[in-house]
Amino acid sequence: YGELDALPEHPLYPEGLPIGRRDAVHTGPATILSTVGTGGMREYDVEIVEVARQSEPAQRSMVLRVTDPELLERTGGIVQGMSGSPILQNGRLVGAVTHVLVNDPTRGYGIFAQTMLEQAKNAVQNGAEAQTAE
């Protein structure tokens, strides 16, 4: 929720981040970037507790557990509006938050960044092909 009137003056990663391939994502420590309240975007600790090795792309590529005490205190875990929050591991963008587990808001699902990029590329190619066919 909220409005974005200008880009942040001091982005967390001004040079951007490399993409982590899905085969490099592993269980263990990670972080998510999210804006909670008026303090701007921050990095919060999570743990990747499960990684799905999928033959077909899916929105539930990994299971996350929020471990950051401040985020747990403020929100109780993953809440509405956090979908799309970037997931970082080992200095790389590895995915984005997609869903919360309804019965446990400290846990949620994420999709691989590589999957999102492949789907975006396919959408652009399909759009170009559709325009050519007209």
Side-chain angles (χ1 to χ4, degrees):
Y1 63 90
E3 294 180 17
L4 178 66
D5 297 323
L7 293 176
E9 289 182 32
H10 305 286
L12 292 178
Y13 298 96
E15 302 301 317
L17 288 169
I19 300 297
R21 295 186 49 84
R22 68 178 141 252
D23 58 359
V25 178
H26 58 87
T27 57
T31 58
I32 62 172
L33 299 178
S34 195
T35 301
V36 178
T38 59
M41 184 173 44
R42 287 217 24 240
E43 200 164 351
Y44 296 98
D45 293 327
V46 298
E47 180 181 6
I48 298 174
V49 295
E50 185 179 323
V51 180
R53 300 298 172 203
Q54 304 158 324
S55 57
E56 294 291 322
Q59 291 185 355
R60 296 179 179 179
S61 306
M62 63 189 97
V63 178
L64 312 169
R65 182 173 59 87
V66 176
T67 59
D68 193 282
E70 181 183 346
L71 186 59
L72 288 168
E73 183 179 317
R74 293 187 75 177
T75 66
I78 298 171
V79 295
Q80 185 176 7
M82 285 186 179
S83 295
S85 292
I87 303 167
L88 311 178
Q89 188 176 54
N90 299 329
R92 297 182 176 277
L93 173 64
V94 298
V97 174
T98 59
H99 298 82
V100 64
L101 275 73
V102 177
N103 59 345
D104 183 359
T106 66
R107 296 166 54 99
Y109 293 105
I111 185 172
F112 293 128
Q114 183 179 354
T115 298
M116 293 187 300
L117 289 171
E118 289 167 354
Q119 290 176 344
K121 182 179 177 182
N122 289 341
V124 168
Q125 287 177 340
N126 291 340
E129 290 170 7
Q131 285 182 343
T132 304
E134 291 176 358

